[in-house]
Amino acid sequence: MDRQTRPSFTPADSGAANDATARAGAPAPRSRRGWRVLAGLLFVVLLLVVGARLTWSWLNPLGEQTIDRSGPALLRSVQNLSRFEAATGDFQVIVDLEKDAKFVPDAIKGSRTLFVGAGTVDAYVDFTTLPKDAFTVSPDRTRVTVRLPHAELEKPNLDSKRSYVFAQERGIFDRISDFLSSSPQNQQELYVLAERKIADAATASDLRSRADQNTKAMLEGVLKSLGFTTVTVRYDGEP
């Protein structure tokens, strides 16, 4: 009977097997180099993108730059004000301005604008118009009678920060005209209408009568502090 022969391994063969096993379990050197090259390329691309973004924001070739070349304000004249600002009214109005074209629908030609106008109106008494006999003093200098003109209303002062276009509808032709025009329609007409309506509201209010009362109280306090015990203030038209 033949003896069954077993394969024999030499130490050299054992080392070769271990090397093969190690090479099979570890990644290939080329694969590592490939990932490193890819990561480097991504980092370079990231640097280029960030650099381009910073350069664009710094140069900003399409950005606008505001330069104020206005000269200094010049003092043309000085006037002494001799009037008493007796009251101030704060007003707000909504201007509804509509422009239509005959025989053309509003969607084609026409506009409607809602404008909120806010401003103030001052009521004052002008002391420069007082005649010489406006103050009548008694012989004992204890009584004084003052005759004044009624308060007047100043021109409305529209506040641009609180005045704005609330809503606006325009036809196709109006939109195209504003787009092609070098000076599109401004809001001057809206401001003029708002000032006119505020002036009418101030005239219809009790702002002037309130100013007359405040002026009377002011003069009574000033004249009594000068030693007069009886102060009478009458306005034009009063007996």
Side-chain angles (χ1 to χ4, degrees):
M1 179 179 297
D2 296 336
R3 182 183 297 178
Q4 185 177 1
T5 61
R6 295 180 179 178
S8 59
F9 295 95
T10 62
D13 295 337
S14 177
N18 292 333
D19 293 342
T21 303
R23 286 194 300 270
R30 290 183 178 180
S31 177
R32 290 182 178 179
R33 287 195 298 270
W35 282 109
R36 291 176 181 175
V37 172
L38 180 60
L41 290 176
L42 292 177
F43 183 72
V44 172
V45 171
L46 180 61
L47 288 179
L48 292 176
V49 171
V50 173
R53 181 69 177 273
L54 293 176
T55 303
W56 180 270
S57 61
W58 179 60
L59 296 177
N60 197 9
L62 300 180
E64 294 183 354
Q65 183 180 4
T66 302
I67 300 176
D68 187 4
R69 293 192 174 91
S70 304
L74 300 178
L75 180 61
R76 300 291 299 273
S77 64
V78 176
Q79 296 180 354
N80 294 326
L81 297 179
S82 299
R83 65 183 187 180
F84 175 62
E85 300 288 342
T88 300
D90 193 358
F91 297 88
Q92 186 178 34
V93 64
I94 297 179
V95 178
D96 188 352
L97 182 62
E98 184 176 1
K99 295 183 178 181
D100 297 329
K102 294 183 178 180
F103 311 111
V104 179
D106 295 340
I108 298 177
K109 177 63 177 178
S111 64
R112 182 180 181 182
T113 305
L114 295 178
F115 179 78
V116 178
T120 58
V121 178
D122 296 332
Y124 66 93
V125 176
D126 190 2
F127 291 141
T128 60
T129 60
L130 295 181
K132 294 181 179 180
D133 57 349
F135 290 83
T136 304
V137 181
S138 64
D140 57 357
R141 302 187 62 84
T142 59
R143 299 185 305 275
V144 60
T145 301
V146 184
R147 188 169 295 277
L148 297 176
H150 284 285
E152 300 179 16
L153 295 179
E154 188 66 82
K155 180 182 178 182
N157 182 19
L158 212 62
D159 189 354
S160 59
K161 294 182 178 180
R162 296 190 297 145
S163 303
Y164 58 93
V165 175
F166 177 74
Q168 188 175 35
E169 298 178 357
R170 295 178 297 172
I172 298 176
F173 285 171
D174 296 272
R175 293 178 181 271
I176 296 176
S177 177
D178 291 343
F179 179 76
L180 298 178
S181 177
S182 58
S183 57
Q185 183 180 6
N186 54 30
Q187 300 177 0
Q188 182 179 3
E189 185 177 6
L190 298 172
Y191 276 86
V192 172
L193 288 176
E195 288 182 357
R196 186 184 306 167
K197 291 181 178 295
I198 289 178
D200 295 339
T203 303
S205 68
D206 63 341
L207 186 58
R208 286 187 293 182
S209 62
R210 180 73 61 86
D212 290 341
Q213 296 174 7
N214 294 340
T215 305
K216 180 179 180 180
M218 183 271 295
L219 287 177
E220 288 177 349
V222 171
L223 294 175
K224 285 183 179 181
S225 66
L226 296 177
F228 294 97
T229 57
T230 303
V231 178
T232 304
V233 178
R234 292 192 177 95
Y235 287 93
D236 292 342
E238 296 179 356

